[in-house]
Amino acid sequence: MDHPFDNELRRLEDELRGPLRRAALPSPSPDETAHLIASLQGEFNQLKIEPESPKLDFNPQVDPPSLKQILRSQIRLNQRSILLTAGAVFCMLVLLIDPEYPLDQFAGLPGGIFPLITPLLLIVSMLFSSRTWDKGMRAVETLTPYPPALVLYTRLLLVTGIVIGMALLSTLALGLRSIQAETSHFLFGPFILEWMGILLVTGGAAMYMLFRKGMVVSLISAVLVYGMWIVIQGQIIDHGVSMGGKMLTDMTLLVIGLILLVSSYGRSLKLNGAWRTAND
Amino acid sequence: MIRVEGLERQAGTYRLEIEKAEIHSGLNLIVGANGAGKTTLIELLATLQAPDAGEILYSGRKAGDHLPLIRSQIGYVPADIELYGDMKVGKLLTYMAELKGIYNPEAIDRLMLDFRLEPVRKSKVKNLSQGVQRRIAVVQALIASPSFLFLDEPLNGMDAEERKFLITYLTKYARGRMVIVAAHELNEWEEAADTVIWVHRGRIRYIGSPSQWKLNVASSVWEGEVDLEAFERIPQELLIHFQMTENNMRVRLMGKKQPGAEFMEKAPTLEDTFFLHMNALARRG
């Protein structure tokens, strides 16, 4: 039995069939679908290309530090232990050295005790300041937005400065002691030239090698230069080289040391400059 | 994003080899047994080691060509670090900031407040507890707000509260940035990790979501309480965790079938999943 509502719905469908047919769009044929897909293929291909993540930029919070700023930050580091150790060593040297014969041999080794100890102190201080025993801290200090060798370079500069300063003060103290002595053979020029020559060449070699081969080779070079100097000193004594000849050798060492220092300084500026240009 | 291609690096007795891998932003957890290559991988990604072969690209930049730029965006916390003990906390952080080219004291002040270091600002580092020193180590890595933050066992030496704080902090920090953590204590990172990177014998075995990693396991995890006699019979290699109760032993173990009526199946944690995967590897030889 038909429900009255069914009849009414059927009548409504019949009445609306005509207007709905005009309003409804015919479903697309397979050909039309294929044509549509083909026309959109370019868009699909675009979607398939993996979106490129934006290129990494230099950290905007980082302000490029100059060599002076790096040096200043290194001064913040506690240098007290180096200052105290160097102070103690030089005090001992001033008291140990005979003010009448300050350039005399020491314990069978050629050369006076002062030029023998000073570069050794520099090497030990360099080793200490590089903190080679602490891998973690070394790693953290390596992750700088500039060549990490610059940090070590400023550290070596600082240590060399401390040792030279202390050595100059000690030389002055030694000079004062020798003035008070009855007969003194103390000559400021040759004395300073002797320790300054080997000190600069040792420090210079270390800094020169630092930028080229790293910290370990740098320290090895310093030790090698020091060893070679002891051998040269032995030769000078064996061959009875005059004071003038010895001074010439020391002067040569001093000049080589200065050239190495200036060259490493130039290298540090170049490295810093190259980094700044690369990140501008 | 960090993309690794054909990476090779000899590290002690094993060789780290990664053919291809992509690491995305979020908190990425590197898991693996001792000596699996976690630290080597993290050091390579942090540009502290150079690969013997292959490339690492940071958002399209090659490490070899843009080292200062990439390093300006890297923060790193090593597993072991001996901070300058004679320095005061404030001075040490200022020094570390200047070393990174940050001359903004506010950045340090904000982090010191966040990490509750303000009360010890004028204390010497050597007089502080291991946990506080660890917090300082984390702060130094965050000073420049780097896009890539690498932390090797960052929770070492921290108490429960400090651990919870750091995990929460890093979870927030990882939004829009990349944080990579190498860890042993996996369950603590359960809620925080977006991605798991499983390293085994120098190779990445899995990289993806923690939930998928858990689904990949063939065994199940069971928990129940047994007497000491029954506990003795359980093969050691199946044990994940056990705890003495008043008279019995509360045991968590792995197995394909229910070990006994007293055991109930449990949803595996990250640590369980690690054990299950390692066990499956061991069985395969």
Side-chain angles (χ1 to χ4, degrees):
Chain A
M1 195 180 76
D2 274 1
H3 196 278
F5 285 152
D6 292 341
N7 293 333
E8 206 171 319
L9 274 172
R10 212 170 287 135
R11 202 169 52 244
L12 192 66
E13 274 178 19
D14 289 342
E15 280 172 17
L16 288 173
R17 191 163 289 133
L20 280 174
R21 192 174 291 142
R22 281 195 296 275
L25 287 169
S27 52
S29 69
D31 279 353
E32 283 170 330
T33 309
H35 182 74
L36 182 72
I37 290 171
S39 67
L40 288 171
Q41 197 55 53
E43 308 296 322
F44 291 147
N45 291 343
Q46 277 290 298
L47 286 173
K48 265 202 283 183
I49 297 168
E50 198 180 296
E52 275 283 308
S53 56
K55 283 256 191 274
L56 187 71
D57 289 324
F58 195 84
N59 191 334
Q61 299 196 45
V62 172
D63 192 14
S66 64
L67 203 62
K68 214 196 303 181
Q69 279 170 315
I70 302 172
L71 189 65
R72 206 182 304 144
S73 81
Q74 287 306 309
I75 295 170
R76 274 182 192 277
L77 264 184
N78 206 333
Q79 302 286 352
R80 203 172 49 185
S81 35
I82 293 178
L83 274 168
L84 285 175
T85 314
V89 169
F90 281 112
C91 275
M92 209 167 64
L93 283 177
V94 170
L95 294 172
L96 263 177
I97 291 170
D98 182 355
E100 291 185 25
Y101 301 99
L103 292 173
D104 269 9
Q105 285 184 42
F106 172 74
L109 286 164
I113 185 173
F114 202 94
L116 207 66
I117 295 290
T118 313
L120 208 58
L121 186 69
L122 180 72
I123 293 169
V124 173
S125 304
M126 279 177 181
L127 194 68
F128 178 78
S129 70
S130 70
R131 282 183 74 89
T132 42
W133 67 89
D134 185 22
K135 191 175 173 252
M137 200 64 199
R138 211 168 56 230
V140 165
E141 289 183 323
T142 301
L143 285 172
T144 51
Y146 49 85
L150 289 175
V151 176
L152 290 171
Y153 173 70
T154 50
R155 228 171 249 188
L156 296 192
L157 264 185
L158 210 65
V159 166
T160 310
I162 290 173
V163 174
I164 288 178
M166 288 278 191
L168 279 171
L169 280 175
S170 310
T171 305
L172 206 68
L174 212 58
L176 289 172
R177 275 193 74 202
S178 69
I179 290 168
Q180 287 166 343
E182 280 179 25
T183 50
S184 176
H185 297 86
F186 188 81
L187 297 166
F188 266 106
F191 186 78
I192 290 179
L193 208 58
E194 190 174 33
W195 66 255
M196 186 83 95
I198 178 59
L199 192 71
L200 287 189
V201 87
T202 309
M207 288 183 217
Y208 184 85
M209 293 310 285
L210 176 70
F211 289 121
R212 286 156 180 87
K213 300 284 175 195
M215 191 63 197
V216 177
V217 178
S218 154
L219 284 165
I220 292 171
S221 316
V223 173
L224 282 177
V225 166
Y226 178 63
M228 275 163 62
W229 174 78
I230 292 178
V231 173
I232 293 170
Q233 291 296 303
Q235 295 293 312
I236 286 173
I237 292 167
D238 287 351
H239 291 90
V241 177
S242 66
M243 173 68 94
K246 191 173 174 334
M247 277 180 74
L248 190 71
T249 315
D250 291 336
M251 182 61 91
T252 311
L253 287 177
L254 193 123
V255 171
I256 294 172
L258 276 174
I259 291 170
L260 289 172
L261 279 175
V262 170
S263 157
S264 60
Y265 179 68
R267 177 97 176 178
S268 72
L269 289 179
K270 210 166 128 186
L271 267 178
N272 211 18
W275 165 73
R276 279 159 174 260
T277 317
N279 294 296
D280 270 348
Chain B
M1 180 181 76
I2 293 180
R3 186 179 295 172
V4 176
E5 285 166 7
L7 191 76
E8 284 179 34
R9 173 78 188 172
Q10 188 68 39
T13 51
Y14 67 91
R15 190 165 182 81
L16 188 80
E17 286 179 339
I18 302 167
E19 202 179 308
K20 204 171 185 181
E22 279 181 4
I23 307 170
H24 297 272
S25 54
L27 201 146
N28 296 267
L29 189 67
I30 302 182
V31 305
N34 276 336
K38 299 191 298 288
T39 298
T40 305
L41 177 61
I42 221 166
E43 285 185 357
L44 279 161
L45 295 175
T47 71
L48 285 161
Q49 286 193 34
D52 297 333
E55 292 277 12
I56 305 176
L57 289 101
Y58 302 79
S59 300
R61 305 263 199 190
K62 279 185 190 176
D65 300 340
H66 303 275
L67 199 55
L69 182 150
I70 289 163
R71 282 184 169 171
S72 79
Q73 294 281 14
I74 284 181
Y76 173 64
V77 182
D80 296 303
I81 182 166
E82 194 190 318
L83 298 163
Y84 293 121
D86 281 325
M87 285 183 98
K88 289 177 180 169
V89 176
K91 267 193 168 183
L92 175 72
L93 288 173
T94 306
Y95 163 71
M96 295 307 296
E98 287 181 0
L99 208 63
K100 292 166 194 285
I102 302 284
Y103 297 91
N104 174 17
E106 283 165 22
I108 302 168
D109 293 346
R110 197 190 60 242
L111 281 168
M112 284 188 87
L113 272 176
D114 287 350
F115 280 78
R116 285 164 290 160
L117 290 171
E118 199 51 56
V120 294
R121 180 185 275 269
K122 290 186 175 164
S123 306
K124 280 193 176 178
V125 172
K126 66 180 175 191
N127 298 331
L128 301 170
S129 71
Q130 212 190 338
V132 179
Q133 291 196 26
R134 202 73 192 134
R135 270 189 271 156
I136 298 168
V138 174
V139 166
Q140 66 75 28
L142 287 164
I143 288 173
S145 306
S147 299
F148 305 100
L149 182 63
F150 302 95
L151 305 102
D152 197 355
E153 305 289 351
L155 305 181
N156 279 358
M158 286 186 170
D159 63 32
E161 198 190 342
E162 286 172 321
R163 294 158 96 94
K164 195 178 160 198
F165 166 78
L166 183 62
I167 293 170
T168 312
Y169 187 93
L170 292 176
T171 309
K172 288 179 193 161
Y173 188 82
R175 284 181 201 151
R177 298 189 186 96
M178 187 185 291
V179 175
I180 298 185
V181 176
H184 272 120
E185 302 284 330
L186 306 186
N187 286 350
E188 289 181 284
W189 300 93
E190 187 87 45
E191 303 298 321
D194 297 306
T195 305
V196 166
I197 302 168
W198 175 32
V199 185
H200 182 71
R201 290 186 185 160
R203 282 182 172 80
I204 290 183
R205 292 273 176 172
Y206 174 83
I207 181 162
S209 72
S211 50
Q212 188 59 50
W213 195 46
K214 287 176 184 177
L215 285 173
N216 289 352
V217 290
S219 299
S220 302
V221 176
W222 307 91
E223 198 174 280
E225 211 168 293
V226 291
D227 57 34
L228 291 174
E229 206 179 309
F231 175 72
E232 292 292 326
R233 288 198 300 271
I234 298 171
Q236 280 290 309
E237 66 271 19
L238 298 182
L239 273 176
I240 298 173
H241 182 75
F242 58 88
Q243 192 186 5
M244 191 84 182
T245 59
E246 212 167 307
N247 297 313
N248 293 325
M249 201 62 109
R250 182 141 205 92
V251 181
R252 197 173 173 92
L253 49 81
M254 60 183 106
K256 283 188 178 172
K257 289 178 189 164
Q258 189 174 10
E262 62 275 44
F263 284 91
M264 297 250 302
E265 191 171 3
K266 292 281 172 186
T269 61
L270 280 180
E271 204 154 289
D272 295 336
T273 312
F274 176 66
F275 275 121
L276 294 169
H277 279 298
M278 291 298 283
N279 191 264
L281 273 183
R283 265 184 285 144
R284 262 184 264 153

